[in-house]
Amino acid sequence: MEEKLPPLPGSSKPHLEKLTLGITRILESSPGVTEVTITEKAPAERHMISSWEQKNNCMLPEDMKNFYLMTNGFHMTWSVKLDENIIPLGSMAINSISKLTQLNQSSMYSLPNAPTLADLEDDPDEANDDQPEKPHFDSRSVIFELDSCNGNGKVCLVYKHGKPALAQDTEVWFLDRALYWHFLTDTFTAYYRLLITHLGLPQWQYAFTNYGISPQAKQWFNMYKPITYNSNLLTEETDCFVNKLDPSKVFKSKNKAIIPKKKGPMQPAGTQKGPPVSSSSKSSSGSGNTVRR
């Protein structure tokens, strides 16, 4: 059984501060951000990692082993407060070793001769030379789910040369909801940094696709830009439809101190036009006396 400790607000322990690369301080200082929470998890034991490797006939990369020996999975969330309503927004997650399961390659339906994921293979002629060879749903690749992305797709650890799978054959890819593959990084460490620096913003993985993130997600990107923000990753076609919001104005406190208006300087009597000033308006002058020339 996976040991799960109660959630901690922010990063109150030194090892959590190192694990999150100090991102909690950045979030807590951002306008409107509240409830920055990390679910602390106990480290995985070495025999759990060995059992996983033997069961799946795959060797975990060394950086993934070190990660699981420090924490058996990762889950960090944060919310924003809008009009007294708390809205969950950011989510960063990596499955524990027990939930690092292979993508289901069986039939999608219980009917005979039903289609499988292997039937969705792309035409080899459609391969993109700018990216590495895409993973395959058949036995040519072994695919494990790292993060379900809250239903927006799946981040996967991919062994590209089947079983027995070697640690140096791994890459991290994003599988979108249309079951198309998009390359993210070639190591787990690089992906973890990518996850942290994008603050777990909704649909951030789609910034690495050809069609980019949705207009709604782009609004959040404009308010809470990732640390390594690259505007070229966002398509410019819909920029004219996106409101440029200033977080400091959106989350401005309603309880403001009333600042009294300053009285303007009195104009000299000689420069005033029209009838002479009545006695009721004398209070607007500094001493009430006429100006001598």
Side-chain angles (χ1 to χ4, degrees), residues 206-223:
Y206 282 88
F208 296 87
T209 66
N210 295 331
Y211 29 87
I213 61 178
S214 66
Q216 181 181 6
K218 192 177 292 188
Q219 295 280 12
W220 295 116
F221 266 67
N222 288 331
M223 296 181 66

Side-chain angles (χ1 to χ4, degrees), residues 255-281:
N255 299 325
K256 290 184 178 180
I258 301 177
I259 302 175
K261 294 183 179 180
K262 295 182 179 180
K263 297 181 180 180
M266 183 193 71
Q267 294 182 352
T271 61
Q272 293 181 353
K273 296 182 179 180
V277 180
S278 62
S279 59
S280 61
S281 62

Side-chain angles (χ1 to χ4, degrees), residues 210-281:
N210 295 331
Y211 29 87
I213 61 178
S214 66
Q216 181 181 6
K218 192 177 292 188
Q219 295 280 12
W220 295 116
F221 266 67
N222 288 331
M223 296 181 66
Y224 302 102
K225 293 181 179 180
I227 299 175
T228 54
Y229 182 78
N230 185 358
S231 58
N232 294 330
L233 296 175
L234 305 179
T235 56
E236 299 179 357
E237 299 177 357
T238 57
D239 278 352
C240 57
F241 300 102
V242 178
N243 296 326
K244 304 297 183 180
L245 300 179
D246 186 353
S248 61
K249 295 181 179 179
V250 173
F251 301 105
K252 191 180 295 183
S253 175
K254 296 181 179 179
N255 299 325
K256 290 184 178 180
I258 301 177
I259 302 175
K261 294 183 179 180
K262 295 182 179 180
K263 297 181 180 180
M266 183 193 71
Q267 294 182 352
T271 61
Q272 293 181 353
K273 296 182 179 180
V277 180
S278 62
S279 59
S280 61
S281 62

Side-chain angles (χ1 to χ4, degrees), residues 15 28 39 42 47 67 74 84 106 115 119 130 134 152 177-178 194 200 208 228 232 235 238-239 261 284 287 290:
H15 74 280
E28 290 171 349
T39 302
H47 72 84
F67 174 81
F74 176 69
E84 307 302 326
S106 61
D119 297 322
D130 297 335
K134 294 183 179 181
N152 292 317
R177 296 186 64 180
L194 204 64
F208 296 87
T228 54
N232 294 330
T235 56
T238 57
D239 278 352
K261 294 183 179 180
S284 62
S287 61
T290 58

Side-chain angles (χ1 to χ4, degrees), residues 141-242:
S141 301
V142 187
I143 306 168
F144 296 91
E145 180 182 326
L146 283 174
D147 181 14
S148 61
C149 305
N150 293 326
N152 292 317
K154 294 181 184 296
V155 173
C156 300
L157 177 71
V158 178
Y159 291 84
K160 300 190 64 177
H161 299 103
K163 295 182 179 182
L166 304 178
Q168 60 266 28
D169 293 335
T170 58
E171 292 175 345
V172 180
W173 287 72
F174 175 60
L175 180 65
D176 65 19
R177 296 186 64 180
L179 300 181
Y180 286 101
W181 289 105
H182 308 276
F183 178 76
L184 293 179
T185 64
D186 55 357
T187 64
F188 172 78
T189 300
Y191 167 72
Y192 181 76
R193 291 174 179 169
L194 204 64
L195 171 68
I196 294 295
T197 54
H198 278 80
L199 309 178
L201 287 166
Q203 304 175 18
W204 70 265
Q205 298 88 353
Y206 282 88
F208 296 87
T209 66
N210 295 331
Y211 29 87
I213 61 178
S214 66
Q216 181 181 6
K218 192 177 292 188
Q219 295 280 12
W220 295 116
F221 266 67
N222 288 331
M223 296 181 66
Y224 302 102
K225 293 181 179 180
I227 299 175
T228 54
Y229 182 78
N230 185 358
S231 58
N232 294 330
L233 296 175
L234 305 179
T235 56
E236 299 179 357
E237 299 177 357
T238 57
D239 278 352
C240 57
F241 300 102
V242 178

